[in-house]
Amino acid sequence: MSQTPVRSTTALRHLMELLATDASAEQFTAVAARARADGVVGDDLEEIDRAVATALGVRQVLRRQRRREAELTALFDTAGDLAALRDLDAVLRSIVRRARTLLRTDTAYLTLVDEAAQDTFMRVTDGSVSLAFQQLRLKLGEGLGGLVAQTMRPYASPDYRTDERFQHTRTIDHGVLDEGLVAILGVPLLLGSGPAGDRNVIGVLFAADRGPRSFSPDEVALLSSLAAHAAIAIDTARALADAKNAAAELTEANAVIQEHALSTQRAAEAHDRLTDLVLRGSEVSEVAAAVAEFLGGRLTIFDPRGEVLAQAGGEAGARPPDPDALLGAVARARAEGRSVRDGECWYCAVLAGQELLGSLAFHGRPDLDGPDRRLFERTGTITALLLLLRRTVVETENRVRGELLTDLLEGAGRDPVLLAERGHRLGVDLTRPHLVLVAEAETDPDGRLTAGAQQYLFGRAGLCCAYEHHVVMLVPDDRTEPGQAARAAADHLSQGLGTPVSVVAAGPCQGVAALPGCYTEGRRCLSAMRVLGLTGDGACAADLGFLGVLLGREQDTGGFVDRVLGPVLRWDERRGTELVRTLEAYFAVNGSHIRAKDLLHVHVNTVVQRLERVAALLGRDWDHPERALEIQLALRIHLVHQAGRRGKEGPASAPAARPGG
């Protein structure tokens, strides 16, 4: 018995050590079991049992205090997060993570109420592994969360699968089972502090385990405290967002008011400036420059054909709009009666009544609206007025120009110097090369072809007049191939008049004296085009070739020979060579160099060298079938003409008469 107090003291000391190390309950009960094993009985054993029970009670109190301390620390940390709220998502993730840690659950998550859809949706999860669960939406009253949101009261389920207190749905059950959850605790996120009728649930905070579990009242209280912080965070974030939105709206409204005031001021200044330009009779280029400066972009003014009349502002060298896009946008603007936007560009039709005088395109301000858009549309009216004034002046000038061109075509008895001076006063340099375009319409009862031709020449340094049942245009040679120039004019005039218009281009010719001859050539080609059924097309003498000579009313064979064979004839004349005779021999033997050298009695290399010179003078395609036919015809006409002048057949004609030639 003398050793019993020692054993009791040892047991008590051991229990104190276990309390200090937060040992498990099994380790405490093991102390009493060890005492029994050591033979302690009676009062000493009862003392040890009471000490173990007391130690377990102290252990439970200490654990509860430590847990409460951790909970309070988490709540204080959450309050600190709210005080420094910067990112709502980060705060909510922190709350959910702390709920999972403090309640020692496998997962925790938070749902919010969607007022529009009248359901709740997953907002934040921690510990979740199922995508189907993370995308769940719960209608009010469905599932445990729907019940919490509807009743605004906490609910805990030790086993969700068998709990019949709430409505199960296939979608919710599938998501919960896919996540593997069994025990679930949900508490409402409430706003407002009055009775239930004055409070509003905005979501639900959950803690859940993947095994059966009963949640204590302390755990429910803890999760409710975290839910209260989450509700405050959400409400604070919404208030901040509303305040920011209100401030942004006020700032935007202020900016709109200031912009409107500035736009109105700019519009008034622009109106005064445009009025001044009209009164001074300014050019459309000045209008373009002024409006481009006011609007801060690039303004382009087009004529009815889509060609640029003026351009100002923006980046230098910017491409004009695509012709098809311009045509479609202007048609829309005419139909709607105001400017229209197409892509990055604004368009406006320039109208005088129903007549289209041109169009405007503005680039650089896709947001053009309000006073600036009205200024752009007013620019169309100003431009129409200036173009009408300009056209009136041009019509007067056209009469003077028509008289000058008539005198130029008649030619005989006119002083070339005086004609050139008259052209200079009208801005036409008659000393530079020009093309003569001769046009006739299939039907032109009201003389609209002349007006159409004048419009076609609008903005160009050209002349136009009606002459001998044709319309004649004199345009500066811009190095455009004559046939191409004729076709372009025919297309434009045919579309404008709505009837086929045939156009022939002659030239380029230089000097006053050459114009009557060019007109004669054009008139002859028009006759040939009628015979060939080419009404409504455009061509030049080179396009028609010898057919123009054969079918024209006035057969200008000399001009045809000179146009086709002239370079070779002049080369022989200046240098005493025999290129013409070589061509005759070459064609007589069907293009054989060997047989040609026998006819000419020269070496084959000489034939080759002469034909290379012919190619250099006439072009590399001189022996192609179509060119070769014209060259042979011109060669035959030349030889016959030469034989007629000599009164006998020339020596060079003999090879052409040989068999096989």
Side-chain angles (χ1 to χ4, degrees):
M1 296 296 292
S2 60
Q3 294 182 349
T4 300
V6 175
R7 292 195 186 99
S8 299
T9 303
T10 302
L12 291 174
R13 185 173 63 251
H14 191 194
L15 289 173
M16 296 299 292
E17 291 173 353
L18 292 177
L19 284 173
T21 59
D22 192 24
S24 65
E26 290 78 6
Q27 289 175 296
F28 281 91
T29 56
V31 173
R34 179 65 180 269
R36 287 184 175 84
D38 290 341
V40 178
V41 296
D43 294 338
D44 290 333
L45 182 59
E46 291 178 2
E47 182 68 25
I48 292 174
D49 287 337
R50 285 194 296 270
V52 169
T54 302
L56 286 172
V58 172
R59 173 181 174 274
Q60 186 175 359
V61 171
L62 290 175
R63 289 176 66 88
R64 187 181 300 113
Q65 288 178 344
R66 282 195 295 270
R67 181 174 180 178
R68 185 59 178 166
E69 181 182 353
E71 293 171 356
L72 290 175
T73 301
L75 292 176
F76 282 128
D77 290 343
T78 302
D81 291 342
L82 293 177
L85 180 63
R86 293 294 182 270
D87 183 357
L88 176 62
D89 286 341
V91 173
L92 294 181
R93 282 195 297 270
S94 176
I95 291 173
V96 171
R97 184 168 56 253
R98 285 168 184 156
R100 180 189 176 196
T101 302
L102 292 174
L103 272 68
R104 295 181 178 85
T105 56
D106 295 324
T107 183
Y109 50 98
L110 184 147
T111 63
L112 291 181
V113 173
D114 186 340
E115 296 290 348
Q118 285 296 298
D119 64 6
T120 62
F121 63 94
M122 287 290 180
R123 182 69 165 78
V124 181
T125 64
D126 189 72
S128 171
V129 296
S130 169
L131 181 62
F133 178 75
Q134 295 167 12
Q135 295 177 344
L136 274 181
R137 297 186 74 97
L138 292 76
K139 292 188 178 297
L140 299 181
E142 292 182 351
L144 186 146
L147 183 62
V148 172
Q150 186 180 49
T151 62
M152 295 186 288
R153 294 176 56 189
Y155 275 88
S157 176
D159 190 343
Y160 174 87
R161 297 166 297 181
T162 61
D163 198 331
E164 299 297 334
R165 290 178 299 165
F166 45 82
Q167 179 182 351
H168 287 263
T169 68
R170 179 180 300 177
T171 303
I172 298 174
D173 287 353
H174 170 72
V176 171
L177 294 176
D178 191 55
E179 185 65 49
L181 300 181
V182 177
I184 303 175
L185 168 62
V187 297
L189 277 65
L190 299 173
L191 290 179
S193 57
D198 297 332
R199 306 179 76 183
N200 180 33
V201 61
I202 61 172
V204 180
L205 178 61
F206 297 87
D209 263 340
R210 294 188 174 91
R213 170 178 174 174
S214 296
F215 293 95
S216 68
D218 288 343
E219 291 174 328
V220 175
L222 173 60
L223 195 62
S224 296
S225 297
L226 291 173
H229 283 83
I232 294 172
I234 294 170
D235 189 46
T236 303
R238 288 176 176 175
L240 289 174
D242 291 342
K244 289 180 180 179
N245 290 337
E249 290 175 0
L250 288 174
T251 302
E252 184 179 355
N254 184 51
V256 169
I257 292 172
Q258 291 183 354
E259 180 64 25
H260 181 74
L262 292 175
S263 298
T264 302
Q265 182 180 354
R266 288 199 307 269
E269 294 174 357
H271 178 75
D272 294 341
R273 178 76 178 277
L274 293 177
T275 301
D276 181 64
L277 291 175
V278 172
L279 293 177
R280 289 193 289 109
S282 302
E283 296 292 330
V284 292
S285 58
E286 297 180 70
V287 173
V291 175
E293 179 182 353
F294 277 116
L295 296 182
R298 187 165 192 81
L299 180 68
T300 307
I301 302 178
F302 299 92
D303 67 7
R305 298 185 301 271
E307 297 183 6
V308 176
L309 292 178
Q311 195 172 49
E315 299 179 358
R319 289 185 178 181
D322 179 73
D324 294 336
L326 175 66
L327 183 64
V330 172
R332 282 176 50 209
R334 292 185 70 178
E336 297 180 15
R338 64 175 311 181
S339 60
V340 298
R341 178 181 171 182
D342 186 4
E344 297 293 315
C345 219
W346 285 87
Y347 297 90
C348 181
V350 178
L351 300 170
Q354 296 300 315
E355 181 183 1
L356 181 67
L357 300 180
S359 58
L360 307 178
F362 181 74
H363 187 274
R365 288 274 305 280
D367 58 341
L368 191 69
D369 207 350
D372 287 348
R373 184 176 180 183
R374 289 192 292 273
L375 172 60
F376 177 59
E377 293 168 351
R378 188 178 297 115
T379 303
T381 304
I382 296 297
T383 303
L385 180 57
L386 290 178
L387 291 177
L388 283 175
L389 292 174
R390 179 177 175 181
R391 188 167 71 178
T392 301
V393 174
V394 168
E395 288 175 352
T396 303
E397 290 183 352
N398 281 339
R399 287 195 294 271
V400 179
R401 291 170 177 268
E403 294 171 358
L404 172 59
L405 182 55
T406 299
D407 292 342
L408 289 170
L409 295 176
E410 291 178 350
R414 307 289 181 179
D415 186 344
V417 176
L418 292 179
L419 292 174
E421 289 180 356
R422 288 171 58 188
H424 180 72
R425 288 195 297 270
L426 295 174
V428 179
D429 184 5
L430 294 175
T431 62
R432 63 174 292 186
H434 283 75
L435 290 177
V436 176
L437 303 181
V438 185
E440 66 176 11
E442 189 173 70
T443 57
D444 186 25
D446 52 1
R448 290 187 299 123
L449 180 56
T450 302
Q454 291 172 345
Q455 185 182 21
Y456 181 70
L457 295 180
F458 186 71
R460 306 182 186 184
L463 302 175
C464 176
C465 73
Y467 189 75
E468 293 183 348
H469 308 295
H470 301 104
V471 172
V472 183
M473 293 170 281
L474 184 68
V475 296
D477 177 29
D478 58 359
R479 299 187 181 277
T480 302
E481 192 272 325
Q484 182 179 350
R487 285 185 289 274
D491 290 342
H492 178 86
L493 295 174
S494 297
Q495 291 180 5
L497 270 67
T499 186
V501 177
S502 305
V503 180
V504 168
C509 56
Q510 188 166 2
V512 173
L515 292 178
C518 285
Y519 166 69
T520 300
E521 177 183 325
R523 187 178 60 187
R524 182 177 62 252
C525 289
L526 271 179
S527 299
M529 288 179 66
R530 280 195 299 271
V531 175
L532 293 171
L534 299 179
T535 302
D537 203 350
C540 64
D543 294 332
L544 300 178
F546 69 91
L547 292 176
V549 177
L550 295 177
L551 301 177
R553 293 179 179 176
E554 301 174 10
Q555 284 72 28
D556 181 15
T557 55
F560 172 72
V561 171
D562 184 71
R563 185 170 62 254
V564 176
L565 208 58
V568 173
L569 297 176
R570 286 187 285 274
W571 184 275
D572 277 354
E573 183 179 351
R574 289 196 302 267
R575 300 176 181 268
T577 54
E578 294 187 335
L579 298 184
V580 171
R581 184 164 176 263
T582 302
L583 277 174
E584 181 188 12
Y586 177 76
F587 286 127
V589 295
N590 293 329
S592 170
H593 293 76
I594 301 299
R595 295 173 61 191
K597 64 97 175 175
D598 294 335
L599 288 179
L600 297 170
H601 304 292
V602 296
H603 194 274
V604 68
N605 289 342
T606 302
V607 176
V608 172
Q609 291 171 1
R610 290 179 181 179
L611 293 179
E612 287 179 351
R613 174 59 59 186
V614 169
L617 294 171
L618 301 183
R620 291 295 175 184
D621 62 341
W622 71 274
D623 57 348
H624 291 186
E626 186 176 343
R627 287 289 309 279
L629 178 61
E630 288 194 342
I631 292 172
Q632 291 182 70
L633 178 60
L635 183 63
R636 176 56 56 195
I637 293 173
H638 171 70
L639 294 176
V640 171
H641 180 67
Q642 291 295 99
R645 290 181 59 186
R646 293 194 299 268
K648 59 182 179 179
E649 185 177 5
S653 63
R658 291 172 180 258

